[in-house]
C-alpha cells in the first residue's frame, strides 16, 4: 500500500459539515448491515471498504477511509476482533491521514478528529488493563482538541475523570466529574452522578456521598438506571455502617433490581470480606453463574475469576498449595482490573481468607496492597475503606 504521505492528494478541503455528513452516511450503512448480518457483517463491510479506499488519492476518499478506520476501532472495542498489531496499524494510518490533510492538533477546526482517535485508543488500552496508557491518551485527546462543544467537553471531562479514578487519583477524578456534570445530560449525566458518589465513598468522605444519595432519591424525576445504581450505592453505604448483608443479598435475587452478574459477584466478595463466616453459606453460587445464559460472565472476566478463586480457597478438599498458587495468579492480574473499587474488594477478600487460614507471611503481602490502595484513594485518610473489621488482627 502506498503511504499516505507519498500520495498526490487532490486538495478538497474537509469541513465540519462534510465530516459529519460522511459519518452519518457511513454509520447508517453499517447499522443497516449489522441489523441484517450482525457484527460479523459489519466488520466484513468495514474491511472491504478500507481495502477499496486505501488506493484512493482524493481527499473525500481519504475522509471515508479515515471514518472506516475509526469505525473498525470502535467495533473492536465491542468485539475484540483485531490483533494488537492490527490495532496499531489502524491507528497509525488514521493519524497519518489527518496529518496529510493538514489537520493540526490544537489549532485546526477539525482537531477534534485527533481527540476522537486518542479517546478510542484510550478505551482500547483501558479494556486491555493498561490504565496508565489509557489515561495518557485520554488526556492527550483533551489537550489536542480545539473548540469542542459543551457536550463533547463534558464527555471528555467524564472520561478523563474515569481514567484518573482507575489510577487511584480520586481528587483529580472528582474535579473532572464536577466539571462534567455541568455540561452533560441524560445517561451521561447519570453516570457522572453515580461516579461522584462512588468517588466520595472511596475518598473516605461518606457523609458527603450519603447526602448526595439522599438528595438524589428524593427527586420526583429520576431515570430507572440511575435509581438502580444509587440504590446499590446506598446498600453499600448501609453495609459499611451496620455490617448487615441481608438487604444486599435480597437485592441480587431473581426478579430483584440488582439481579446481574456484576452485582452478584460483588455481594459474594462483600460476604467473603465480612468478619462473620456465616454469610458464606448464604451467597449465590459463583460456579453456577456460568450455566445461566442471562448471568454468564464474559470469557476471561478478571473480577469473576478472582471472586471464584477466593471462594474456592475455602474448600479444604482442594490441596492448600494449589489454592495458594491459584490465588496468587489471580492477584497478579488485579492491576488490570477495569474498576479500582473492584480491585479493592478482591484484595480485601483475599486478605480475609489468608487471615482465617493463619498464613501470616502471605497476609502481610496482600494486606499491604489493600492498605496502600486505601491510602492512595483516600489521600492518606484511611487504611481500611471497606470498614468491615480489623483486617490485620
Amino acid at each position: 500500500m502506498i503511504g499516505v504521505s507519498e500520495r498526490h492528494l487532490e486538495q478538497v478541503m474537509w469541513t465540519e459539515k462534510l465530516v459529519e455528513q460522511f459519518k452519518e452516511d457511513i454509520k447508517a450503512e453499517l447499522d443497516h448491515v449489522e441489523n441484517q448480518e450482525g457484527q460479523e457483517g459489519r466488520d466484513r463491510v468495514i474491511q472491504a471498504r478500507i481495502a477499496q479506499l486505501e488506493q484512493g488519492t482524493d481527499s473525500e476518499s481519504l475522509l471515508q477511509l479515515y471514518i472506516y478506520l475509526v469505525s473498525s476501532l470502535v467495533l473492536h472495542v465491542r468485539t475484540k476482533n483485531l490483533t494488537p498489531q492490527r490495532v496499531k496499524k489502524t491507528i497509525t494510518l488514521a493519524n497519518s491521514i489527518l496529518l496529510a490533510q493538514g489537520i493540526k492538533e490544537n489549532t485546526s477546526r477539525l482537531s477534534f478528529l485527533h481527540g476522537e482517535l486518542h479517546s478510542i485508543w484510550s478505551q482500547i488500552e483501558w479494556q486491555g488493563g493498561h490504565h496508565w496508557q489509557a489515561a495518557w491518551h485520554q488526556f492527550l485527546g483533551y489537550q489536542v482538541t480545539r473548540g469542542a462543544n459543551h457536550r463533547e467537553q463534558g464527555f471528555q471531562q467524564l472520561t478523563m475523570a474515569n481514567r484518573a479514578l482507575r489510577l487511584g487519583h480520586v481528587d483529580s477524578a472528582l474535579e473532572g466529574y464536577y466539571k462534567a456534570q455541568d455540561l452533560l445530560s441524560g445517561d451521561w449525566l447519570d453516570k457522572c452522578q453515580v461516579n461522584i458518589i462512588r468517588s466520595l465513598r472511596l475518598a473516605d468522605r461518606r457523609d458527603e456521598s450519603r447526602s448526595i444519595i439522599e438528595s438524589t432519591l428524593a427527586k420526583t424525576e429520576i431515570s430507572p438506571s440511575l435509581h438502580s445504581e444509587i440504590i446499590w450505592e446506598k446498600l453499600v453505604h448501609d453495609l459499611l455502617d451496620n455490617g448487615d448483608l441481608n438487604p444486599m443479598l435480597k437485592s441480587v435475587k431473581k426478579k430483584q433490581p440488582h439481579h446481574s452478574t456484576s452485582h452478584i459477584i460483588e455481594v459474594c466478595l462483600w460476604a467473603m470480606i465480612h468478619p462473620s463466616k456465616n454469610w458464606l453459606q448464604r451467597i449465590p453460587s459463583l460456579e453456577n453463574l456460568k450455566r445461566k445464559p442471562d448471568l454468564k460472565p464474559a470469557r476471561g472476566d478478571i473480577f469473576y475469576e478472582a471472586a471464584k478463586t477466593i471462594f474456592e480457597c475455602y474448600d479444604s478438599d482442594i490441596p492448600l498449595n494449589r489454592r495458594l498458587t491459584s490465588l496468587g495468579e489471580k492477584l497478579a492480574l488485579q492491576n488490570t482490573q477495569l474498576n479500582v473499587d473492584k480491585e479493592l474488594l478482591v484484595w480485601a477478600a483475599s486478605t480475609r481468607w489468608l487471615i482465617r487460614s493463619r498464613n501470616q507471611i502471605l497476609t502481610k503481602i496482600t494486606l499491604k496492597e489493600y492498605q496502600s490502595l486505601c491510602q492512595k484513594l483516600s489521600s492518606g485518610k484511611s487504611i481500611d475503606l471497606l470498614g468491615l473489621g480489623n483486617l490485620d488482627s
Side-chain angles (χ1 to χ4, degrees), residues 126 131 161-170 173 177 191 194-204 229 232-234 236-237 239-240 248 262-263 265-270 273 302-304 306-307 310 331 334-350 369-370 373-374 376-378 384-388:
W126 174 74
H131 299 304
N162 289 342
R163 301 294 180 259
L165 178 60
R166 182 57 192 90
L167 290 176
H169 305 161
V170 177
Y177 290 137
K191 292 177 188 295
V194 172
N195 286 340
I196 287 173
I197 293 169
R198 184 173 295 122
S199 297
L200 288 169
R201 170 168 62 81
L202 292 172
D204 200 29
E229 288 304 310
W232 184 259
E233 274 296 326
K234 182 178 184 300
V236 173
H237 280 67
L239 174 60
L240 290 170
M248 194 177 281
S262 179
H263 290 118
I265 296 170
E266 188 170 331
V267 77
C268 289
L269 283 166
W270 280 111
I273 293 167
I302 294 172
F303 190 46
Y304 169 73
I310 297 168
L331 291 177
Q334 289 314 299
N335 64 345
T336 68
Q337 184 78 256
L338 297 184
N339 298 291
V340 71
D341 53 320
K342 292 181 178 180
E343 179 184 356
L344 196 65
L345 284 167
V346 170
W347 284 115
S350 301
E369 288 292 331
Y370 169 73
L373 186 54
C374 286
K376 185 176 186 179
L377 290 166
S378 66
D384 183 13
L385 286 170
L386 303 188
L388 294 181

Side-chain angles (χ1 to χ4, degrees), residues 267-286:
V267 77
C268 289
L269 283 166
W270 280 111
M272 292 182 232
I273 293 167
H274 202 283
S276 173
K277 289 178 66 175
N278 294 335
W279 296 108
L280 298 178
Q281 311 302 319
R282 299 181 54 190
I283 59 176
S285 169
L286 289 167

Side-chain angles (χ1 to χ4, degrees), residues 25-279:
D25 292 346
I26 290 172
K27 182 179 184 302
E29 173 202 22
L30 296 177
D31 286 349
H32 176 73
V33 171
E34 184 169 343
N35 288 336
Q36 300 295 317
E37 305 177 38
Q39 293 176 339
E40 290 184 1
R42 190 184 192 100
D43 183 50
R44 177 183 55 77
V45 171
I46 289 172
Q47 299 310 322
R49 296 287 187 269
I50 289 173
Q52 292 167 1
L53 292 163
E54 277 183 326
Q55 303 306 319
T57 59
D58 62 284
S59 290
E60 286 195 5
S61 293
L62 290 176
L63 174 53
Q64 292 179 72
L65 175 57
Y66 170 81
I67 295 171
Y68 279 112
L69 289 167
V70 171
S71 299
S72 177
L73 295 170
V74 172
L75 182 61
H76 171 72
V77 169
R78 292 163 54 194
T79 65
K80 315 294 189 301
N81 61 312
L82 302 178
T83 65
Q85 294 78 11
R86 188 63 179 269
V87 168
K88 185 176 181 180
K89 180 181 177 182
T90 302
I91 292 172
T92 300
L93 180 55
N95 186 61
S96 69
I97 291 172
L98 296 181
L99 295 177
Q101 285 298 112
I103 298 170
K104 297 180 180 180
E105 299 176 343
N106 297 108
T107 57
S108 171
R109 290 183 63 85
L110 298 178
S111 63
F112 66 86
L113 296 173
H114 286 286
E116 289 176 356
L117 198 55
H118 277 294
S119 182
I120 296 168
W121 197 348
S122 170
Q123 195 165 1
I124 292 170
E125 294 286 8
W126 174 74
Q127 288 184 332
H130 310 134
H131 299 304
W132 175 259
Q133 295 97 315
W136 192 260
H137 282 293
Q138 193 63 52
F139 279 74
L140 268 178
Y142 179 73
Q143 181 176 296
V144 302
T145 300
R146 172 194 170 208
N149 61 39
H150 274 202
R151 184 181 181 280
E152 290 167 345
Q153 289 180 36
F155 181 75
Q156 289 170 342
Q157 290 288 348
L158 173 63
T159 312
M160 286 194 297
N162 289 342
R163 301 294 180 259
L165 178 60
R166 182 57 192 90
L167 290 176
H169 305 161
V170 177
D171 289 343
S172 296
L174 282 167
E175 181 181 349
Y177 290 137
Y178 287 135
K179 290 179 180 177
Q181 72 174 352
D182 294 331
L183 302 168
L184 295 172
S185 60
D187 291 343
W188 292 114
L189 177 58
D190 290 351
K191 292 177 188 295
C192 186
Q193 291 175 330
V194 172
N195 286 340
I196 287 173
I197 293 169
R198 184 173 295 122
S199 297
L200 288 169
R201 170 168 62 81
L202 292 172
D204 200 29
R205 295 162 60 181
R206 294 214 305 274
D207 287 346
E208 294 174 64
S209 54
R210 186 175 280 282
S211 176
I212 296 175
I213 289 172
E214 292 173 354
S215 62
T216 304
L217 292 177
K219 295 178 180 178
T220 54
E221 294 185 7
I222 179 172
S223 70
S225 60
L226 177 58
H227 184 268
S228 175
E229 288 304 310
I230 297 291
I231 289 294
W232 184 259
E233 274 296 326
K234 182 178 184 300
L235 291 173
V236 173
H237 280 67
D238 291 345
L239 174 60
L240 290 170
D241 289 343
N242 59 36
D244 185 4
L245 263 168
N246 277 310
M248 194 177 281
L249 284 166
K250 180 180 179 181
S251 190
V252 299
K253 289 182 179 295
K254 195 169 184 177
K255 298 184 179 180
Q256 293 302 310
H258 300 106
H259 185 68
S260 71
T261 306
S262 179
H263 290 118
I264 290 172
I265 296 170
E266 188 170 331
V267 77
C268 289
L269 283 166
W270 280 111
M272 292 182 232
I273 293 167
H274 202 283
S276 173
K277 289 178 66 175
N278 294 335
W279 296 108

